[in-house]
Every structure is written in structure tokens, then in C-alpha cells.
Amino acid sequence: MTLEYKHQNFYEAIEHNAKVSPKKPVIFIGDRKVDNLRFKQKIDTFARFLEFSGVKAKDKVAMIVGNSEEFMISLFAITKIGAIVVPINTFLKREEFEYIVNDCGAKILISSSSFAKETKNLLYSTRVEKIVWTDEYDGLDEKNYSFVEIVGSMETHEQISNPPKLDDLACIVYTSGTTGKPKGAMLSYRNIFSNVISGTRAFKIDEKDRFLVFLPMFHSFTLSIMVILPVIVNSSVIIVKSVFPFANVLKQALLKRATIFLGVPTLYNSLIKAKIPWYFMWFNKIRIFISGSAPLSEAVLNDFSKKFKNAVLTEGYGLSECSPAVAVNRLDRQKPLSVGLPLESYEIKIVDDEMVELPVGKVGEIIVKGDCVMQGYLNRPDATDEVKVNGWLLTGDLGRVDEDGFLYIVDRKKDLIISKGINIYPREIEEIISKYEGVDSVAVIGVSNETKDEEVMAFVQPKENTNLDELRIKKYLKSHLANFKIPKHIYFVEELPKNATGKVLKRVLKEQLSKQS
């Protein structure tokens, strides 16, 4: 089955919304709301600034921006002029930002001032020519600009000389692998629109829906399904800048009449246990709770449905290389422990190491085909060729399909760790720890906790006659890695288990920990 595409690019939908319903709110944030017409005007103005700054079609513009109206305006202004948006994980540190910004060759950086400590020096260590600060910043000059001043002072500009086409590159999402540095998954308008169309149909989305966005907008699922999709279908986005305190998330959901809620399993587990005010349970309008990033336990599914009787909690599966959604349980058809059926127009197969399709119920690697599959990895044709074969994407995940076509995730072929919905790759952490004085060798693994989320653990083999301290190593790591990558525990061992070729047997380490628990 093939999809029909109404738009060639995002801006066509924004123009349409401003024309047919100019006063309809597209964004709710705090006590403010932004209607379609004003949203378009701000996009036009910021796009004009980018053009004046020399940004052309196919140039990259990086974003290190928290959840905000500015994030959304920037995203659609960058793509309006045919440039490519690069949303970056805001939890990273300077060295990590530097690598990604250099790898994509970003010309302009848009940053929240709360990240200034880690981002301001990117002007000197990368090819970035200007930084636009989305909120108050003291050091404004010819290379540092204020987003508020730009949007408030420049003329709008509605003409596009060469509007982006369906198969042009729209976005580069950096994804974690199990080896080396992050890779930039190149996503076209067709890739993302295929997710938007299929997601809209699967969840029966219409203009009346309101999406509550508190998970980071840079995350591929939040970006496609909770930011771009609502704008394309002319529904609304409720922006919550922080998940803390969580009572505020629930307050915004209630006051702004949210209907679509995206979370991760640990959050739903907490909601089941939490004492939620009766008036929230009585008056909230949420009809769909969506879960991703890690498996939901059957107990959580059952307990959640008992507590929230007027809504459906549905689980899905995806990866950044697939824009990102691949499969989802339907509102009227789902199975516990399954991640659902493939989205409309996508194909899923379970194959062995020779790419031969396996029978129903057999475990093998999940491969995906459809308009969601990325164009490839930026600057990495070798890595692209490893995962794209005859139009199929090799996910590296192990799964099985039942007789009704429902997909079940069994395990990961790779060592990828997923913690609270964020991908973490062990080798990066291992490389940093190995540089610490006195470390002979190291292995990093992910261990599932009681909520099925994964926690980072490290095993360190010290050099002979060396005493290492866990707290000192963690302090060292804090200056080199994002906090979510720092191991919860560091275990010191006389010798790491290895096979005949010297490869560390991480399976053995996981077994050792499971025996201790």
C-alpha cells in the first residue's frame, strides 16, 4: 500500500492552517496561546533572518533548545527556506555538542541560554558563524543574536524562491549506536510525512486534539508525532517546559484539555502508584496515553486501564532511522507485551543472519521497509550500507511476529542501552573511563530494573597495584559526559570475563548481576 501526500513540505501545511483557521490556537504555553496566523508570521520573520544570515537550501542549522515556542518556530522557519534542521539532545556536554555540530557542518546554532556554559564556545570550536539565543543572554554582539529581538523587529517574508520537495532532506536526527560516535539519520519530508499520515490514522487524530508535550522535543518520537504531526493536521500543542514538578504536567493537561499524552514506562508505573486528585480523574480529557522507548509490563497495562477507565494506554515501537514510528497497538486492537501492528504502508519481517524470512513465532532480526526508512547516515556511507539492504532497514533488534501480525520485541542484537527513553551507547562511556588513570579495561552494560527501564552499570578492571575510587571516577565522568550516561554503579573486578579472542563477555557480567539481585 502506498500513501498519498497532500503536502510537499511543512510550510505548505502552515500556510493552509493560517488561511482556513487563522485564530485557532496552535500553541498553548503557560498562560499564553499562539494562533495559526501569528505562528506563521513568526516563522516568516525568523526565516527572513536566516536568509539575511546567508543560510541557503541544504545548509544545516543546529538547535540546542528546550521545549518552547522558539523550538517550534525555529524548526519550521529553517525548513521553510529548504535548510536542514539538526535538533540536538540538550542533555549532552560541550565535547558531545562539538562533535555533532562539526559532523553536520552547521552554519547557525540556535541555543537556549540555560545551555550557554556548554554551547557559547561552539562559535570558536566549530564552523558555526552565529548563535541565536532563544531567551535572555548578556553577551549579544555581531555573532550572538536575540531570538526575541529578531522575531519582534524584522519584516515578514512570505515568498519562497525554491520551496522544498517531498524527497528533500528535512531533518538530521543523531542516533546512538553501539560503536563509535553518534550518527546522523537523514530524514526527508516523505519520511516524516509517512509517520504523520500513518500515525494520524492509527490514533484517529483530528483538529480537536491537543497534544501534551513535556518529553524533550529533540527526541525523534516527540519531534515527529507530538510536534510536527499536530501542526500538519491543524490540531494544537500544549508545551510544558519541564517534567518537574510533575503535578504541573497534570495541571496543564487538565486546564488546557489535553487529549493525547506521550510518556515512558517508568512514568506510567509512577502514575499507577501516585495519589492523583479526584478532580483530575473526573475532568481530564485525555483519550490516548502513548508509551514508547521500552517495554510495558502486562501488570502496568492492566493496572493503568483500571485506574484510567476513559483512556487507552497503547504501546509502540520505533527508531530514529524510521522517522521514528514503525508499529503500534491500535486503539481498538492491542495485545499485552506486543508493540502492535506495523503502521499503514510499512512492512516488517523477521529474518535470520542470511536475511531469510523466518516462520511465525520464530525469533530473528526485525527489518523494516516503507517510506519511513531514512535516506542514510550523514557522512557515513559505510554505516548506511550496513543497515540498508535492498530498501530494507536492519534494525539490530530481535523480535517475533505472531499469527495475527503483532510484533514482539525480544531483545537487542546490539548492546544499546535505553534509559528513560534516551539511547545510550556503551562504547562512548567505555572510551572515557579507559582514559582515567589506573584503568586497565572497562565494560559498560545496561541492566533492567523493576520497571523494565535500563540502568547503566560499569565494570572496571584496575591496573596492577592500583586502588580506584568509584566517587572520584564519577566526578571525572561528570565533566565529560551527560548525567544520564554516568553509570549508577561502578564495580571493580580483578579480571573481566573474555572469550578466546579477548572480547569482553557482557552476557556473563549481566548474569553475575542478576544472581546478586
Side-chain angles (χ1 to χ4, degrees):
M1 182 187 295
T2 57
L3 297 176
E4 291 185 8
Y5 296 97
K6 181 179 177 182
H7 302 295
Q8 289 286 308
N9 54 63
F10 304 148
Y11 189 72
E12 287 182 5
I14 289 161
E15 279 188 308
H16 172 80
N17 296 346
K19 185 176 181 179
V20 299
S21 49
K23 296 301 181 184
K24 182 180 188 296
V26 61
I27 295 173
F28 292 89
I29 183 164
D31 57 1
R32 294 189 302 109
K33 55 188 175 184
V34 181
D35 63 38
N36 277 322
L37 182 58
R38 185 68 182 124
F39 186 52
K40 177 184 173 296
Q41 289 169 341
K42 290 184 177 186
I43 291 167
D44 290 338
T45 302
F46 195 61
R48 185 66 166 158
F49 166 81
L50 293 173
E51 286 185 324
F52 275 132
S53 298
V55 178
K56 298 180 177 62
K58 298 184 170 53
D59 283 343
K60 285 89 173 179
V61 179
M63 292 171 55
I64 304 171
V65 179
N67 286 9
S68 59
E69 176 188 353
E70 291 79 15
F71 184 105
M72 294 181 64
I73 292 167
S74 299
L75 165 69
F76 293 113
I78 292 163
T79 54
K80 174 191 173 180
I81 61 174
I84 300 158
V85 64
V86 186
I88 301 177
N89 184 333
T90 58
F91 298 140
L92 303 182
K93 296 291 176 69
R94 184 184 59 79
E95 293 173 24
E96 299 162 307
F97 287 139
E98 191 175 287
Y99 172 79
I100 292 173
V101 172
N102 272 324
D103 186 61
C104 72
K107 196 168 189 176
I108 302 283
L109 171 65
I110 304 165
S111 175
S112 303
S113 59
S114 54
F115 311 124
K117 183 181 175 183
E118 307 290 346
T119 62
K120 62 183 179 182
N121 288 325
L122 294 175
L123 274 170
Y124 313 106
S125 58
T126 70
R127 284 171 280 176
V128 164
E129 297 170 5
K130 295 176 184 176
I131 298 181
V132 179
W133 300 95
T134 60
D135 34 21
E136 194 170 327
Y137 183 72
D138 291 336
L140 299 179
D141 56 25
E142 70 279 357
K143 290 191 173 183
N144 293 272
Y145 290 76
S146 163
F147 188 99
V148 175
E149 289 181 9
I150 291 165
V151 173
S153 64
M154 288 194 67
E155 63 185 76
T156 61
H157 176 61
E158 298 188 13
Q159 300 303 316
I160 315 173
S161 56
N162 189 19
K165 300 292 191 294
L166 196 58
D167 289 311
D168 286 345
L169 192 55
C171 181
I172 298 173
V173 175
Y174 274 80
T175 181
S176 303
T178 57
T179 58
K181 299 286 188 180
K183 297 187 289 290
M186 299 187 291
L187 305 179
S188 68
Y189 291 95
R190 185 189 298 273
N191 292 151
I192 296 171
F193 276 140
S194 76
N195 247 223
V196 167
I197 295 167
S198 300
T200 299
R201 292 175 181 171
F203 297 129
K204 298 179 171 58
I205 305 297
D206 63 29
E207 293 182 5
K208 298 185 189 72
D209 278 307
R210 295 184 179 183
F211 292 68
L212 186 72
V213 181
F214 58 89
L215 294 182
M217 287 181 167
F218 65 74
H219 193 284
S220 58
F221 191 94
T222 316
L223 185 73
S224 287
I225 303 299
M226 301 294 285
V227 175
I228 297 174
L229 185 155
V231 172
I232 301 305
V233 302
N234 200 15
S235 48
S236 305
V237 175
I238 303 162
I239 300 175
V240 182
K241 290 196 171 187
S242 175
V243 70
F244 302 109
F246 195 73
N248 183 51
V249 175
L250 296 180
K251 180 182 177 182
Q252 294 301 312
L254 186 63
L255 293 178
K256 306 295 194 311
R257 303 194 302 279
T259 61
I260 313 291
F261 184 109
L262 170 65
V264 294
T266 49
L267 173 63
Y268 293 119
N269 191 53
S270 299
L271 280 176
I272 291 168
K273 298 174 183 175
K275 290 184 178 178
I276 298 174
W278 67 268
Y279 53 83
F280 178 86
M281 300 301 293
W282 189 263
F283 292 111
N284 85 81
K285 300 292 184 183
I286 299 170
R287 66 182 185 88
I288 306 173
F289 290 92
I290 305 170
S291 181
S293 87
L296 274 173
S297 69
E298 190 166 3
V300 168
L301 274 169
N302 292 336
D303 292 345
F304 199 89
S305 64
K306 290 174 186 173
K307 188 167 186 175
F308 293 87
K309 295 182 173 63
N310 297 324
V312 176
L313 172 58
T314 185
E315 187 174 8
Y317 164 73
L319 59 165
S320 297
E321 291 89 342
C322 286
S323 311
V326 171
V328 69
N329 277 286
R330 304 305 195 260
L331 301 180
D332 55 355
R333 193 177 178 214
Q334 57 180 313
K335 293 188 180 184
L337 305 181
S338 166
V339 292
L341 296 163
L343 283 169
E344 185 177 339
S345 82
Y346 301 166
E347 292 179 70
I348 289 177
K349 285 184 181 179
I350 307 297
V351 299
D352 62 17
D353 291 340
E354 305 300 320
M355 287 281 287
V356 175
E357 188 171 7
L358 294 170
V360 167
K362 292 291 184 182
V363 174
E365 183 171 5
I366 303 163
I367 63 173
V368 182
K369 192 174 190 179
D371 283 356
C372 61
V373 174
M374 66 171 182
Q375 292 185 345
Y377 291 121
L378 180 69
N379 304 326
R380 295 289 301 276
D382 54 334
T384 301
D385 290 343
E386 287 176 11
V387 299
K388 282 188 74 176
V389 179
N390 296 327
W392 289 91
L393 182 89
L394 283 62
T395 68
D397 291 324
L398 298 176
R400 62 180 175 85
V401 173
D402 70 13
E403 63 281 358
D404 297 319
F406 281 76
L407 176 66
Y408 297 77
I409 308 300
V410 175
D411 206 341
R412 292 183 194 89
K413 202 171 183 179
K414 305 171 183 177
D415 290 331
L416 181 66
I417 300 169
I418 300 181
S419 178
K420 295 179 175 63
I422 298 175
N423 292 349
I424 300 170
Y425 45 102
R427 183 168 171 178
E428 181 190 21
I429 304 170
E430 290 165 357
E431 287 175 353
I432 299 294
I433 294 177
S434 67
K435 293 175 183 175
Y436 189 84
E437 189 174 347
V439 171
D440 181 84
S441 55
V442 59
V444 172
I445 61 172
V447 177
S448 296
N449 59 24
E450 64 275 9
T451 64
K452 292 204 171 184
D453 195 33
E454 288 188 305
E455 296 173 335
V456 181
M457 306 289 184
F459 288 80
V460 171
Q461 181 179 320
K463 291 179 180 176
E464 276 191 58
N465 304 317
T466 302
N467 289 318
L468 296 175
D469 181 83
E470 181 177 11
L471 291 178
R472 288 183 179 177
I473 295 178
K474 285 185 176 180
K475 185 178 178 182
Y476 155 78
L477 292 176
K478 282 186 178 180
S479 63
H480 296 279
L481 291 171
N483 289 339
F484 65 83
K485 297 180 185 177
I486 295 172
K488 183 178 181 182
H489 292 298
I490 298 174
Y491 300 93
F492 299 102
V493 295
E494 287 186 12
E495 189 171 357
L496 290 169
K498 297 173 183 172
N499 64 14
T501 61
K503 184 179 178 181
V504 176
L505 298 171
K506 293 187 176 182
R507 170 181 48 80
V508 174
L509 295 174
K510 288 187 178 185
E511 289 170 357
Q512 289 174 0
L513 281 185
S514 65
K515 288 176 184 176
Q516 293 175 20
S517 58

